[in-house]
Coordinates of all heavy atoms in Angstrom, one line a residue:
L1 N 145.4 130.2 153.6 CA 145.8 131.2 152.5 C 146.1 130.5 151.2 O 145.8 131.0 150.2 CB 146.9 132.0 153.0 CG 146.6 133.0 154.1 CD1 147.9 133.6 154.7 CD2 145.6 134.0 153.7
E2 N 146.7 129.3 151.3 CA 147.1 128.6 150.1 C 145.8 128.1 149.4 O 145.8 127.8 148.2 CB 148.0 127.4 150.4 CG 149.4 127.8 150.8 CD 150.3 126.7 151.2 OE1 149.8 125.5 151.1 OE2 151.4 126.9 151.6
S3 N 144.7 127.9 150.1 CA 143.5 127.4 149.6 C 142.6 128.6 149.1 O 141.4 128.3 148.7 CB 142.7 126.6 150.6 OG 143.5 125.5 151.0
G4 N 143.1 129.8 149.1 CA 142.3 130.9 148.6 C 141.7 131.9 149.6 O 141.0 132.8 149.3
A5 N 142.0 131.6 150.9 CA 141.5 132.6 151.9 C 142.2 133.9 151.7 O 143.3 134.0 151.3 CB 141.8 132.0 153.3
K6 N 141.5 135.0 152.0 CA 142.0 136.3 151.9 C 142.8 136.8 153.1 O 142.3 136.6 154.2 CB 140.9 137.3 151.5 CG 140.3 137.0 150.2 CD 139.2 138.0 149.9 CE 138.5 137.6 148.6 NZ 138.7 138.4 147.5
V7 N 143.9 137.3 153.0 CA 144.7 137.8 154.1 C 144.1 138.9 154.9 O 144.3 139.0 156.1 CB 146.2 138.2 153.7 CG1 146.1 139.5 152.9 CG2 147.1 138.2 154.8
D8 N 143.2 139.6 154.3 CA 142.5 140.7 154.9 C 141.1 140.3 155.4 O 140.3 141.2 155.7 CB 142.5 141.9 154.1 CG 141.8 141.7 152.7 OD1 141.5 140.6 152.4 OD2 141.7 142.7 152.0
A9 N 140.7 139.0 155.4 CA 139.4 138.6 155.8 C 139.2 139.0 157.3 O 140.2 139.0 158.1 CB 139.3 137.1 155.7
L10 N 138.0 139.3 157.7 CA 137.7 139.8 159.0 C 136.9 138.7 159.8 O 136.0 138.1 159.2 CB 136.9 141.1 159.0 CG 137.6 142.3 158.3 CD1 136.6 143.5 158.2 CD2 138.9 142.6 158.9
D11 N 137.1 138.7 161.1 CA 136.3 137.8 161.9 C 135.1 138.6 162.4 O 134.8 139.7 162.0 CB 137.1 137.2 163.1 CG 137.6 138.3 164.1 OD1 137.1 139.4 164.1 OD2 138.5 137.9 164.9
G12 N 134.3 138.0 163.3 CA 133.1 138.7 163.9 C 133.3 140.0 164.6 O 132.4 140.7 164.9
H13 N 134.6 140.2 165.0 CA 134.9 141.5 165.7 C 135.8 142.4 164.8 O 136.5 143.3 165.3 CB 135.7 141.2 167.0 CG 134.8 140.4 168.0 ND1 133.8 141.0 168.7 CD2 134.9 139.1 168.3 CE1 133.3 140.1 169.4 NE2 133.9 138.9 169.3
E14 N 135.7 142.2 163.5 CA 136.5 142.9 162.5 C 138.0 142.7 162.7 O 138.8 143.6 162.3 CB 136.1 144.4 162.5 CG 134.7 144.6 162.2 CD 134.3 146.1 162.2 OE1 135.2 147.0 162.4 OE2 133.1 146.4 162.1
G15 N 138.4 141.6 163.3 CA 139.8 141.3 163.5 C 140.4 140.6 162.3 O 139.6 139.9 161.5
T16 N 141.6 140.7 162.0 CA 142.3 140.1 160.9 C 143.1 138.9 161.3 O 143.3 138.6 162.5 CB 143.3 141.1 160.2 OG1 144.3 141.5 161.2 CG2 142.5 142.4 159.8
L17 N 143.6 138.2 160.3 CA 144.5 137.0 160.6 C 145.7 137.5 161.3 O 146.3 136.8 162.2 CB 144.9 136.3 159.3 CG 143.7 135.6 158.5 CD1 144.2 135.1 157.2 CD2 143.2 134.4 159.4
L18 N 146.2 138.7 160.9 CA 147.4 139.2 161.6 C 147.2 139.5 163.0 O 148.0 139.1 163.9 CB 147.9 140.5 160.8 CG 149.2 141.1 161.3 CD1 150.4 140.1 161.1 CD2 149.5 142.4 160.6
M19 N 146.0 140.0 163.4 CA 145.7 140.2 164.8 C 145.6 138.9 165.5 O 146.1 138.7 166.6 CB 144.4 140.9 164.9 CG 144.4 142.4 164.5 SD 142.8 143.1 164.6 CE 143.0 144.5 163.5
A20 N 145.0 137.9 164.9 CA 144.9 136.5 165.5 C 146.3 136.0 165.8 O 146.5 135.4 166.8 CB 144.1 135.6 164.6
A21 N 147.2 136.1 164.8 CA 148.6 135.6 165.0 C 149.3 136.3 166.1 O 150.0 135.7 166.9 CB 149.3 135.7 163.7
A22 N 149.1 137.6 166.2 CA 149.7 138.4 167.3 C 149.1 138.1 168.6 O 149.8 137.9 169.6 CB 149.5 139.9 167.0
M23 N 147.8 137.8 168.6 CA 147.1 137.5 169.9 C 147.5 136.1 170.4 O 147.5 135.9 171.6 CB 145.6 137.5 169.6 CG 144.7 137.5 170.8 SD 142.9 137.5 170.3 CE 142.8 138.9 169.2
S24 N 147.9 135.3 169.5 CA 148.3 133.9 169.8 C 149.8 133.8 170.0 O 150.3 132.7 170.2 CB 147.9 132.9 168.7 OG 146.6 133.0 168.5
N25 N 150.5 134.9 170.0 CA 152.0 134.9 170.1 C 152.7 134.0 169.2 O 153.4 133.1 169.6 CB 152.4 134.7 171.6 CG 153.8 135.0 171.8 OD1 154.4 135.9 171.2 ND2 154.5 134.3 172.7
A26 N 152.3 134.2 167.9 CA 152.9 133.3 166.8 C 153.7 134.1 165.9 O 153.3 134.5 164.8 CB 151.7 132.6 166.1
P27 N 155.0 134.4 166.3 CA 155.8 135.3 165.4 C 156.1 134.7 164.0 O 156.2 135.4 163.1 CB 157.1 135.4 166.2 CG 157.1 134.4 167.3 CD 155.7 134.0 167.5
R28 N 156.1 133.4 163.9 CA 156.3 132.8 162.6 C 155.1 133.1 161.7 O 155.3 133.4 160.5 CB 156.6 131.3 162.6 CG 158.0 131.0 163.2 CD 158.2 129.5 163.4 NE 158.1 128.8 162.1 CZ 158.0 127.5 162.0 NH1 158.0 126.8 163.1 NH2 157.9 127.0 160.8
C29 N 153.9 133.0 162.2 CA 152.7 133.4 161.4 C 152.7 134.8 161.1 O 152.3 135.2 160.0 CB 151.5 132.9 162.2 SG 151.3 131.2 162.3
V30 N 153.1 135.7 162.1 CA 153.1 137.1 161.9 C 154.1 137.4 160.7 O 153.7 138.2 159.8 CB 153.5 137.9 163.1 CG1 153.8 139.3 162.8 CG2 152.4 137.8 164.2
A31 N 155.2 136.8 160.7 CA 156.2 137.0 159.6 C 155.7 136.6 158.3 O 155.8 137.3 157.3 CB 157.5 136.3 160.0
L32 N 155.1 135.4 158.3 CA 154.5 134.9 157.0 C 153.4 135.8 156.5 O 153.4 136.1 155.3 CB 153.9 133.5 157.3 CG 153.3 132.8 156.1 CD1 154.3 132.2 155.2 CD2 152.4 131.6 156.6
L33 N 152.5 136.2 157.3 CA 151.4 137.1 156.9 C 152.0 138.5 156.4 O 151.5 139.0 155.4 CB 150.4 137.3 158.0 CG 149.6 136.1 158.4 CD1 148.9 136.3 159.7 CD2 148.6 135.8 157.3
L34 N 152.9 139.0 157.1 CA 153.5 140.3 156.7 C 154.3 140.2 155.4 O 154.1 141.0 154.5 CB 154.4 140.9 157.8 CG 153.7 141.4 159.0 CD1 154.7 141.7 160.1 CD2 152.8 142.6 158.7
H35 N 155.3 139.3 155.4 CA 156.3 139.2 154.3 C 155.8 138.4 153.1 O 156.3 138.8 152.0 CB 157.6 138.7 154.9 CG 158.1 139.5 156.0 ND1 158.4 140.8 155.9 CD2 158.4 139.1 157.3 CE1 158.9 141.3 157.1 NE2 158.8 140.3 157.9
E36 N 155.0 137.4 153.2 CA 154.7 136.6 152.1 C 153.3 136.9 151.6 O 152.9 136.6 150.4 CB 154.9 135.1 152.4 CG 156.3 134.8 152.6 CD 156.6 133.3 152.8 OE1 155.8 132.5 152.2 OE2 157.5 132.9 153.5
H37 N 152.4 137.4 152.4 CA 151.0 137.6 152.0 C 150.6 139.1 152.1 O 149.4 139.4 151.8 CB 150.1 136.8 152.9 CG 150.3 135.3 152.6 ND1 149.9 134.6 151.5 CD2 151.0 134.4 153.4 CE1 150.2 133.4 151.6 NE2 151.0 133.2 152.7
G38 N 151.5 140.0 152.4 CA 151.2 141.4 152.4 C 150.2 141.9 153.4 O 149.4 142.9 153.1
A39 N 150.1 141.3 154.6 CA 149.1 141.7 155.6 C 149.4 143.2 155.9 O 150.6 143.6 156.0 CB 149.2 140.8 156.8
W40 N 148.4 143.9 156.2 CA 148.5 145.4 156.5 C 148.5 145.5 158.0 O 147.5 145.1 158.7 CB 147.2 146.1 155.9 CG 147.2 147.5 156.1 CD1 146.3 148.3 156.8 CD2 148.1 148.5 155.5 NE1 146.6 149.6 156.7 CE2 147.7 149.8 155.9 CE3 149.2 148.4 154.7 CZ2 148.3 150.9 155.6 CZ3 149.8 149.6 154.3 CH2 149.4 150.8 154.8
P41 N 149.6 146.0 158.6 CA 149.7 146.0 160.1 C 148.9 147.2 160.8 O 148.9 147.3 162.0 CB 151.2 146.2 160.3 CG 151.7 146.9 159.1 CD 150.8 146.4 158.0
H42 N 148.2 148.0 160.0 CA 147.5 149.2 160.6 C 146.0 149.0 160.8 O 145.4 149.8 161.4 CB 147.7 150.4 159.7 CG 149.2 150.6 159.3 ND1 150.1 151.1 160.2 CD2 149.8 150.5 158.1 CE1 151.3 151.2 159.6 NE2 151.1 150.8 158.3
D43 N 145.5 147.8 160.4 CA 144.1 147.6 160.5 C 143.7 147.6 162.0 O 144.4 147.2 162.9 CB 143.7 146.2 159.9 CG 143.7 146.2 158.4 OD1 143.4 147.3 157.8 OD2 143.9 145.2 157.8
K44 N 142.4 148.1 162.3 CA 141.9 148.1 163.6 C 140.6 147.3 163.6 O 139.8 147.3 162.7 CB 141.6 149.6 164.1 CG 142.8 150.4 164.2 CD 142.4 151.8 164.7 CE 143.6 152.7 165.0 NZ 143.3 153.9 165.5
N45 N 140.4 146.6 164.7 CA 139.1 145.9 164.9 C 138.1 146.8 165.5 O 138.3 148.0 165.7 CB 139.4 144.6 165.7 CG 139.8 144.9 167.1 OD1 139.7 146.0 167.7 ND2 140.3 143.8 167.8
Q46 N 136.9 146.2 165.8 CA 135.8 147.0 166.3 C 136.1 147.7 167.6 O 135.4 148.6 168.0 CB 134.5 146.2 166.4 CG 134.5 145.2 167.5 CD 133.2 144.4 167.6 OE1 132.6 144.1 166.5 NE2 132.8 144.1 168.8
F47 N 137.1 147.2 168.3 CA 137.5 147.8 169.6 C 138.6 148.8 169.4 O 139.1 149.4 170.4 CB 138.0 146.7 170.6 CG 137.0 145.6 170.7 CD1 137.3 144.3 170.1 CD2 135.8 145.7 171.4 CE1 136.4 143.3 170.2 CE2 134.9 144.7 171.5 CZ 135.2 143.5 170.9
G48 N 139.0 149.1 168.2 CA 140.1 150.0 167.9 C 141.5 149.5 168.1 O 142.4 150.3 168.1
R49 N 141.6 148.2 168.3 CA 142.9 147.6 168.6 C 143.5 147.1 167.3 O 142.9 146.7 166.3 CB 142.7 146.4 169.5 CG 142.3 146.9 170.9 CD 142.3 145.7 171.9 NE 141.8 146.2 173.2 CZ 140.7 145.7 173.7 NH1 140.0 144.8 173.2 NH2 140.3 146.2 174.9
T50 N 144.9 147.2 167.3 CA 145.6 146.7 166.1 C 146.4 145.4 166.6 O 146.4 145.1 167.8 CB 146.7 147.7 165.7 OG1 147.6 147.9 166.7 CG2 146.0 149.1 165.3
A51 N 147.1 144.8 165.6 CA 147.9 143.7 166.0 C 149.0 144.0 167.0 O 149.4 143.2 167.9 CB 148.6 143.1 164.7
V52 N 149.5 145.3 167.0 CA 150.4 145.7 168.0 C 149.9 145.6 169.4 O 150.6 145.2 170.3 CB 150.9 147.2 167.7 CG1 151.7 147.8 168.8 CG2 151.7 147.2 166.4
H53 N 148.6 146.0 169.6 CA 148.0 145.9 170.9 C 148.1 144.5 171.5 O 148.4 144.3 172.6 CB 146.6 146.4 170.9 CG 146.4 147.8 170.7 ND1 146.0 148.4 169.5 CD2 146.5 148.8 171.6 CE1 145.9 149.7 169.7 NE2 146.2 150.0 171.0
Y54 N 147.9 143.5 170.6 CA 147.9 142.1 171.0 C 149.3 141.6 171.2 O 149.5 140.9 172.2 CB 147.0 141.3 170.1 CG 145.6 141.7 170.1 CD1 145.0 142.4 169.0 CD2 144.8 141.5 171.2 CE1 143.7 142.8 169.0 CE2 143.5 141.9 171.2 CZ 142.9 142.5 170.1 OH 141.6 142.9 170.1
A55 N 150.2 141.9 170.3 CA 151.5 141.4 170.4 C 152.3 142.0 171.6 O 153.1 141.3 172.2 CB 152.3 141.8 169.1
A56 N 151.9 143.2 172.0 CA 152.6 143.9 173.1 C 152.2 143.2 174.5 O 152.9 143.4 175.5 CB 152.2 145.3 173.2
R57 N 151.2 142.4 174.5 CA 150.8 141.7 175.8 C 151.7 140.6 176.1 O 151.7 140.1 177.3 CB 149.4 141.2 175.6 CG 148.4 142.2 175.5 CD 147.0 141.6 175.3 NE 146.0 142.7 175.3 CZ 144.7 142.5 175.3 NH1 144.3 141.3 175.4 NH2 143.9 143.5 175.3
W58 N 152.5 140.1 175.2 CA 153.4 138.9 175.4 C 154.8 139.3 175.8 O 155.3 140.3 175.3 CB 153.4 138.1 174.2 CG 152.1 137.5 173.8 CD1 151.2 138.0 172.9 CD2 151.5 136.3 174.4 NE1 150.1 137.2 172.9 CE2 150.2 136.2 173.8 CE3 151.9 135.4 175.4 CZ2 149.4 135.1 174.1 CZ3 151.0 134.4 175.7 CH2 149.8 134.2 175.1
P59 N 155.4 138.5 176.7 CA 156.8 138.8 177.1 C 157.8 138.5 176.0 O 158.9 139.1 175.9 CB 157.1 137.9 178.3 CG 156.0 136.9 178.3 CD 154.9 137.4 177.6
D60 N 157.4 137.6 175.0 CA 158.3 137.3 173.9 C 158.1 138.5 172.9 O 157.0 138.7 172.3 CB 157.8 136.0 173.2 CG 158.6 135.6 172.0 OD1 159.4 136.5 171.5 OD2 158.5 134.5 171.6
P61 N 159.2 139.2 172.6 CA 159.0 140.4 171.7 C 159.1 140.2 170.2 O 159.0 141.2 169.5 CB 160.2 141.3 172.2 CG 161.3 140.2 172.5 CD 160.5 139.1 173.1
R62 N 159.2 139.0 169.8 CA 159.4 138.7 168.3 C 158.3 139.2 167.5 O 158.5 139.8 166.4 CB 159.8 137.3 168.1 CG 161.1 136.8 168.7 CD 161.4 135.4 168.5 NE 160.4 134.6 169.2 CZ 160.1 133.3 169.0 NH1 160.8 132.6 168.2 NH2 159.2 132.7 169.8
A63 N 157.1 138.9 167.8 CA 155.9 139.3 167.0 C 155.8 140.8 166.9 O 155.6 141.4 165.9 CB 154.6 138.7 167.5
L64 N 156.0 141.4 168.1 CA 155.9 142.9 168.2 C 157.0 143.5 167.3 O 156.8 144.5 166.6 CB 156.0 143.3 169.6 CG 156.0 144.9 169.9 CD1 154.7 145.5 169.3 CD2 156.1 145.2 171.3
A65 N 158.2 143.0 167.4 CA 159.3 143.5 166.6 C 159.1 143.4 165.1 O 159.3 144.3 164.4 CB 160.6 142.7 167.0
L66 N 158.5 142.3 164.7 CA 158.1 142.1 163.3 C 157.1 143.2 162.8 O 157.2 143.8 161.7 CB 157.6 140.7 163.0 CG 158.6 139.6 163.1 CD1 157.9 138.3 163.2 CD2 159.5 139.6 161.8
L67 N 156.1 143.4 163.7 CA 155.1 144.4 163.3 C 155.7 145.8 163.3 O 155.4 146.6 162.4 CB 154.0 144.4 164.4 CG 153.1 143.2 164.3 CD1 152.3 143.0 165.6 CD2 152.2 143.2 163.1
L68 N 156.6 146.1 164.2 CA 157.2 147.5 164.2 C 158.1 147.6 163.0 O 158.2 148.7 162.4 CB 158.0 147.7 165.5 CG 157.1 147.7 166.8 CD1 158.0 147.8 168.0 CD2 156.1 148.8 166.7
E69 N 158.9 146.6 162.6 CA 159.7 146.6 161.4 C 158.9 146.8 160.2 O 159.4 147.4 159.2 CB 160.5 145.3 161.3 CG 161.6 145.2 162.3 CD 162.2 143.8 162.4 OE1 162.0 143.0 161.5 OE2 163.0 143.6 163.3
A70 N 157.6 146.4 160.2 CA 156.7 146.5 159.0 C 156.1 147.9 159.0 O 155.3 148.2 158.2 CB 155.7 145.4 159.0
G71 N 156.4 148.7 160.0 CA 155.8 150.1 160.1 C 154.5 150.3 160.8 O 153.9 151.3 160.7
A72 N 154.2 149.3 161.6 CA 153.0 149.4 162.4 C 153.1 150.6 163.4 O 154.1 150.9 163.9 CB 152.7 148.1 163.2
E73 N 151.9 151.2 163.6 CA 151.9 152.4 164.4 C 151.9 151.9 165.9 O 151.2 151.0 166.3 CB 150.6 153.2 164.2 CG 150.6 153.8 162.8 CD 149.3 154.5 162.5 OE1 148.6 154.9 163.5 OE2 148.9 154.7 161.3
V74 N 152.6 152.7 166.7 CA 152.6 152.4 168.2 C 151.8 153.4 169.0 O 151.5 153.1 170.1 CB 154.0 152.2 168.7 CG1 154.7 151.1 168.1 CG2 154.8 153.5 168.5
D75 N 151.6 154.5 168.4 CA 150.9 155.6 169.1 C 149.4 155.7 168.7 O 149.0 156.7 168.1 CB 151.6 156.9 168.8 CG 151.2 158.0 169.8 OD1 150.6 157.7 170.8 OD2 151.4 159.2 169.4
T76 N 148.7 154.6 169.0 CA 147.3 154.6 168.6 C 146.5 154.0 169.8 O 146.9 153.1 170.5 CB 147.1 153.7 167.3 OG1 145.7 153.7 167.0 CG2 147.5 152.3 167.5
D77 N 145.4 154.7 170.1 CA 144.6 154.3 171.2 C 143.5 153.4 170.8 O 142.9 153.6 169.7 CB 143.9 155.5 171.9 CG 144.9 156.3 172.7 OD1 145.9 155.7 173.2 OD2 144.7 157.5 172.9
A78 N 143.2 152.4 171.6 CA 142.1 151.5 171.4 C 140.9 152.3 172.0 O 141.0 153.2 172.8 CB 142.3 150.2 172.1
K79 N 139.7 151.9 171.6 CA 138.5 152.5 172.1 C 138.4 152.2 173.6 O 138.6 151.1 174.1 CB 137.2 151.9 171.5 CG 137.1 152.3 170.0 CD 135.9 151.7 169.4 CE 135.9 152.0 167.9 NZ 134.8 151.3 167.2
G80 N 138.2 153.2 174.4 CA 138.2 153.1 175.9 C 139.6 153.1 176.5 O 139.7 152.8 177.7
N81 N 140.6 153.3 175.7 CA 142.0 153.3 176.1 C 142.4 152.0 176.9 O 143.0 152.1 177.9 CB 142.3 154.5 177.0 CG 142.3 155.8 176.1 OD1 142.6 155.8 175.0 ND2 141.8 156.8 176.7
Q82 N 141.9 150.9 176.5 CA 142.2 149.6 177.1 C 143.3 148.9 176.5 O 143.5 148.9 175.3 CB 141.0 148.7 177.2 CG 139.9 149.4 178.0 CD 138.6 148.5 178.0 OE1 138.6 147.4 177.5 NE2 137.6 149.0 178.5

C-alpha cells in the first residue's frame, strides 16, 4: 500500500486485501486496512463471501471483532450458503 497499491484491488476471485487478511487470521493487518487505509468491510467476492465469512472461521476472535466494530454485516449469505 505504501508503494501505491490500491486497498480495494481485487484478486482473481474478486477478493480484497481485507478478505486476504481475514482469511490469514491477521488482525493487525485487518486493523491497518480498516483504520488507516479505509478498507470497505462489505465487499463480496465471486462466491458471495465477505471478510466476515473468513474471519469467523478462526478461533481467535480479534479480526472478526475489528470487522464487526467497523460495521461489517453479519447477516449475509454466501452463494450456495457455504
Side-chain angles (χ1 to χ4, degrees):
L1 293 169
E2 290 178 4
S3 298
K6 296 185 187 245
V7 72
D8 58 353
L10 302 177
D11 66 14
H13 297 287
E14 298 178 9
T16 63
L17 293 172
L18 185 60
M19 288 178 204
M23 196 178 307
S24 301
N25 192 30
R28 289 178 58 196
C29 290
V30 169
L32 179 76
L33 291 166
L34 287 170
H35 301 301
E36 294 187 27
H37 295 282
W40 183 245
H42 309 290
D43 287 330
K44 293 183 179 184
N45 63 16
Q46 72 180 35
F47 307 109
R49 294 186 184 117
T50 67
V52 167
H53 287 103
Y54 296 110
R57 294 179 175 188
W58 294 99
D60 180 347
R62 293 178 295 166
L64 181 58
L66 289 163
L67 291 163
L68 296 177
E69 288 170 10
E73 297 176 21
V74 294
D75 192 21
T76 181
D77 285 335
K79 293 178 183 175
N81 292 325
Q82 297 179 8

